[in-house]
Amino acid sequence: QVQLVESGGGLVQAGGSLRLSCVASGRTFSTYAMGWFRQAPGKEREFVAAIRWSGASTYVADYADSVKGRFTISRDNAKNTVYLRMNGLKPEDTAVYYCAAHLGLSLNGQTASNPDEYDFWGQGTQVTVSS
């Protein structure tokens, strides 16, 4: 199985920044679609961002409307790592952030936000934004 380990969470003041990292096992990481989700207490798991192969054989990124312009997803295939750079953090961003991997090539702009499309999940890292 693919193992995913998140890191980089912590406590930050509103307006601050954090960079989350997710390191994946496996020799074919470059083929995985990778996603970030978050879950606050009492709420459902929410899509944040994804990076995936497009039909043109290049990576494309998807973002939830709530984080567009503030968060950036990227990947370093040589390190088997996906990142989530979070700028302009708000208290409503407080949640446990989870990294997820989709091992196929079937994700598109509509399905990338569906957690059921992902095969493996990390343990999560806590992000707390104070006001």
Side-chain angles (χ1 to χ4, degrees), residues 61-98:
D62 304 289
Y63 298 96
D65 289 342
S66 60
V67 306
K68 285 181 180 177
R70 299 189 297 123
F71 291 10
T72 302
I73 189 170
S74 62
R75 64 195 298 158
D76 186 339
N77 292 334
K79 298 180 179 179
N80 273 28
T81 302
V82 64
Y83 303 97
L84 185 69
R85 177 67 177 180
M86 304 183 294
N87 295 324
L89 284 163
K90 305 174 181 179
E92 53 261 45
D93 295 318
T94 296
V96 177
Y97 283 70
Y98 297 92

Coordinates of all heavy atoms in Angstrom, one line a residue, residues 61-98:
A61 N -3.8 21.9 -11.7 CA -4.2 22.0 -10.3 C -5.7 22.5 -10.2 O -6.2 23.2 -11.0 CB -3.3 23.1 -9.6
D62 N -6.3 22.0 -9.2 CA -7.7 22.3 -8.9 C -7.8 22.9 -7.4 O -7.0 22.4 -6.6 CB -8.7 21.1 -9.0 CG -8.6 20.5 -10.3 OD1 -9.1 21.0 -11.3 OD2 -8.1 19.3 -10.4
Y63 N -8.6 23.9 -7.2 CA -8.8 24.5 -5.9 C -10.2 24.7 -5.5 O -11.0 25.0 -6.4 CB -8.1 25.8 -5.8 CG -6.6 25.8 -6.1 CD1 -6.0 26.0 -7.3 CD2 -5.7 25.5 -5.0 CE1 -4.7 26.0 -7.5 CE2 -4.3 25.5 -5.2 CZ -3.8 25.7 -6.5 OH -2.5 25.6 -6.7
A64 N -10.5 24.5 -4.3 CA -11.8 24.9 -3.8 C -11.9 26.5 -3.9 O -10.9 27.2 -3.7 CB -12.0 24.5 -2.3
D65 N -13.1 26.9 -4.1 CA -13.3 28.4 -4.2 C -12.9 29.1 -3.0 O -12.4 30.3 -3.1 CB -14.8 28.7 -4.5 CG -15.3 28.3 -5.9 OD1 -14.4 28.1 -6.8 OD2 -16.5 28.2 -6.1
S66 N -13.0 28.5 -1.8 CA -12.7 29.2 -0.6 C -11.2 29.4 -0.4 O -10.8 30.3 0.4 CB -13.2 28.4 0.6 OG -12.6 27.1 0.6
V67 N -10.3 28.8 -1.2 CA -8.9 28.9 -1.0 C -8.2 29.5 -2.3 O -7.0 29.7 -2.2 CB -8.2 27.6 -0.6 CG1 -8.9 27.0 0.7 CG2 -8.2 26.6 -1.7
K68 N -8.9 29.6 -3.4 CA -8.3 30.2 -4.6 C -7.7 31.5 -4.3 O -8.3 32.4 -3.7 CB -9.4 30.3 -5.7 CG -9.8 29.0 -6.3 CD -10.8 29.2 -7.4 CE -11.2 27.9 -8.1 NZ -12.2 28.1 -9.1
G69 N -6.5 31.7 -4.8 CA -5.8 32.9 -4.6 C -5.0 33.0 -3.4 O -4.1 33.9 -3.2
R70 N -5.2 32.1 -2.4 CA -4.4 32.0 -1.2 C -3.6 30.8 -1.0 O -2.5 30.9 -0.5 CB -5.4 32.1 0.0 CG -6.3 33.3 0.1 CD -7.0 33.4 1.4 NE -8.0 32.3 1.5 CZ -8.0 31.5 2.6 NH1 -7.1 31.6 3.5 NH2 -8.9 30.5 2.6
F71 N -4.0 29.7 -1.5 CA -3.3 28.4 -1.4 C -2.7 28.0 -2.7 O -3.3 28.2 -3.8 CB -4.2 27.3 -0.9 CG -4.7 27.4 0.5 CD1 -4.5 28.5 1.3 CD2 -5.4 26.3 1.1 CE1 -5.0 28.7 2.6 CE2 -5.9 26.4 2.4 CZ -5.7 27.6 3.1
T72 N -1.6 27.3 -2.7 CA -0.9 26.8 -3.9 C -0.5 25.4 -3.6 O 0.2 25.1 -2.7 CB 0.3 27.6 -4.3 OG1 -0.1 29.0 -4.5 CG2 0.9 27.1 -5.6
I73 N -0.9 24.4 -4.5 CA -0.4 23.1 -4.4 C 0.7 22.9 -5.5 O 0.6 23.4 -6.6 CB -1.6 22.1 -4.7 CG1 -1.2 20.6 -4.4 CG2 -2.2 22.2 -6.1 CD1 -2.3 19.6 -4.4
S74 N 1.7 22.1 -5.1 CA 2.8 21.8 -5.9 C 3.4 20.5 -5.6 O 3.0 19.9 -4.6 CB 3.9 22.9 -5.8 OG 4.4 23.0 -4.5
R75 N 4.3 20.0 -6.4 CA 4.9 18.7 -6.1 C 6.3 18.6 -6.6 O 6.7 19.3 -7.5 CB 4.1 17.5 -6.8 CG 4.1 17.6 -8.3 CD 2.9 16.7 -8.9 NE 3.1 15.3 -8.5 CZ 2.2 14.4 -8.5 NH1 0.9 14.7 -8.8 NH2 2.5 13.1 -8.2
D76 N 7.1 17.8 -5.9 CA 8.5 17.6 -6.2 C 8.6 16.1 -6.4 O 8.7 15.3 -5.4 CB 9.4 18.1 -5.2 CG 10.9 18.0 -5.5 OD1 11.2 17.2 -6.4 OD2 11.7 18.7 -5.0
N77 N 8.6 15.6 -7.6 CA 8.6 14.1 -7.9 C 9.9 13.5 -7.4 O 9.9 12.3 -7.1 CB 8.3 13.9 -9.3 CG 6.8 14.2 -9.7 OD1 5.9 14.2 -8.9 ND2 6.6 14.5 -11.0
A78 N 11.0 14.2 -7.5 CA 12.2 13.6 -7.1 C 12.3 13.3 -5.6 O 13.0 12.5 -5.1 CB 13.4 14.6 -7.4
K79 N 11.4 14.0 -4.8 CA 11.3 13.8 -3.4 C 10.0 13.1 -3.0 O 9.8 12.9 -1.8 CB 11.4 15.1 -2.6 CG 12.7 15.9 -2.8 CD 12.6 17.2 -2.1 CE 13.9 18.0 -2.2 NZ 13.9 19.3 -1.5
N80 N 9.2 12.6 -3.9 CA 8.0 12.0 -3.6 C 7.1 12.8 -2.7 O 6.5 12.3 -1.8 CB 8.2 10.6 -3.0 CG 8.3 9.5 -4.1 OD1 8.8 9.7 -5.2 ND2 8.0 8.3 -3.7
T81 N 7.0 14.1 -2.9 CA 6.4 15.0 -2.0 C 5.5 16.0 -2.7 O 5.8 16.5 -3.8 CB 7.5 15.8 -1.3 OG1 8.4 15.0 -0.6 CG2 6.8 16.8 -0.3
V82 N 4.3 16.2 -2.1 CA 3.4 17.2 -2.5 C 3.3 18.2 -1.4 O 3.3 17.9 -0.2 CB 2.0 16.6 -2.9 CG1 1.3 16.0 -1.7 CG2 1.1 17.6 -3.5
Y83 N 3.1 19.5 -1.8 CA 3.1 20.6 -0.9 C 1.8 21.4 -1.0 O 1.1 21.4 -2.0 CB 4.2 21.6 -1.1 CG 5.6 21.0 -1.1 CD1 6.3 20.6 -2.3 CD2 6.3 20.8 0.1 CE1 7.5 20.0 -2.3 CE2 7.5 20.2 0.1 CZ 8.2 19.9 -1.0 OH 9.4 19.3 -1.0
L84 N 1.4 22.0 0.1 CA 0.3 23.0 0.1 C 0.8 24.2 0.8 O 1.0 24.2 2.0 CB -0.9 22.4 0.8 CG -2.1 23.3 0.7 CD1 -2.7 23.4 -0.7 CD2 -3.2 22.8 1.7
R85 N 1.1 25.3 0.0 CA 1.5 26.6 0.6 C 0.2 27.3 0.9 O -0.6 27.6 0.0 CB 2.3 27.3 -0.4 CG 2.7 28.7 0.0 CD 3.7 28.7 1.2 NE 4.1 30.0 1.6 CZ 4.9 30.2 2.6 NH1 5.4 29.2 3.4 NH2 5.2 31.5 2.9
M86 N 0.1 27.8 2.1 CA -1.1 28.5 2.5 C -0.7 29.9 3.0 O 0.0 30.0 4.0 CB -1.8 27.7 3.7 CG -2.1 26.3 3.3 SD -3.0 25.4 4.7 CE -1.7 25.4 5.9
N87 N -1.2 30.9 2.3 CA -1.0 32.3 2.6 C -2.3 32.9 3.0 O -3.4 32.4 2.7 CB -0.4 33.0 1.4 CG 0.9 32.5 1.0 OD1 1.8 32.2 1.8 ND2 1.2 32.6 -0.3
G88 N -2.2 34.0 3.7 CA -3.4 34.7 4.1 C -4.4 33.9 4.9 O -5.6 34.0 4.7
L89 N -3.8 33.1 5.9 CA -4.7 32.2 6.6 C -5.7 32.9 7.4 O -5.5 34.0 8.0 CB -3.8 31.3 7.5 CG -3.1 30.2 6.8 CD1 -2.0 29.6 7.6 CD2 -4.1 29.1 6.4
K90 N -6.9 32.3 7.5 CA -8.1 32.8 8.2 C -8.5 31.8 9.3 O -8.2 30.6 9.2 CB -9.2 33.0 7.3 CG -8.9 33.9 6.1 CD -10.1 34.0 5.1 CE -9.8 34.8 3.9 NZ -10.9 34.9 3.0
P91 N -9.1 32.3 10.3 CA -9.6 31.3 11.4 C -10.4 30.2 10.8 O -10.4 29.0 11.3 CB -10.4 32.2 12.3 CG -9.8 33.5 12.2 CD -9.4 33.7 10.8
E92 N -11.2 30.4 9.8 CA -12.0 29.4 9.2 C -11.2 28.3 8.4 O -11.8 27.3 8.0 CB -13.1 29.9 8.2 CG -12.5 30.9 7.2 CD -12.7 32.3 7.6 OE1 -12.4 32.7 8.7 OE2 -13.1 33.1 6.7
D93 N -9.9 28.5 8.3 CA -9.0 27.5 7.7 C -8.6 26.5 8.8 O -8.0 25.5 8.4 CB -7.8 28.1 7.1 CG -8.1 29.0 5.9 OD1 -8.9 28.6 5.1 OD2 -7.5 30.1 5.8
T94 N -8.9 26.7 10.0 CA -8.6 25.8 11.1 C -9.2 24.4 10.8 O -10.4 24.3 10.7 CB -9.0 26.3 12.4 OG1 -8.3 27.5 12.7 CG2 -8.7 25.3 13.5
A95 N -8.4 23.4 10.8 CA -8.9 22.0 10.5 C -7.7 21.0 10.6 O -6.5 21.5 10.6 CB -9.5 21.9 9.1
V96 N -8.0 19.8 10.5 CA -7.0 18.8 10.3 C -6.9 18.6 8.8 O -7.9 18.4 8.1 CB -7.4 17.4 10.9 CG1 -6.3 16.4 10.6 CG2 -7.5 17.6 12.4
Y97 N -5.7 18.7 8.2 CA -5.5 18.6 6.8 C -4.9 17.3 6.5 O -4.0 16.8 7.1 CB -4.5 19.7 6.4 CG -5.2 21.1 6.3 CD1 -5.5 21.8 7.4 CD2 -5.4 21.7 5.0 CE1 -6.2 23.0 7.3 CE2 -6.0 22.9 4.9 CZ -6.4 23.6 6.1 OH -7.0 24.8 6.0
Y98 N -5.5 16.6 5.5 CA -5.2 15.3 5.0 C -4.7 15.3 3.6 O -5.2 15.9 2.7 CB -6.4 14.4 5.1 CG -7.0 14.2 6.5 CD1 -8.0 15.0 7.0 CD2 -6.5 13.1 7.3 CE1 -8.5 14.8 8.2 CE2 -7.0 12.9 8.6 CZ -8.0 13.8 9.0 OH -8.5 13.6 10.3

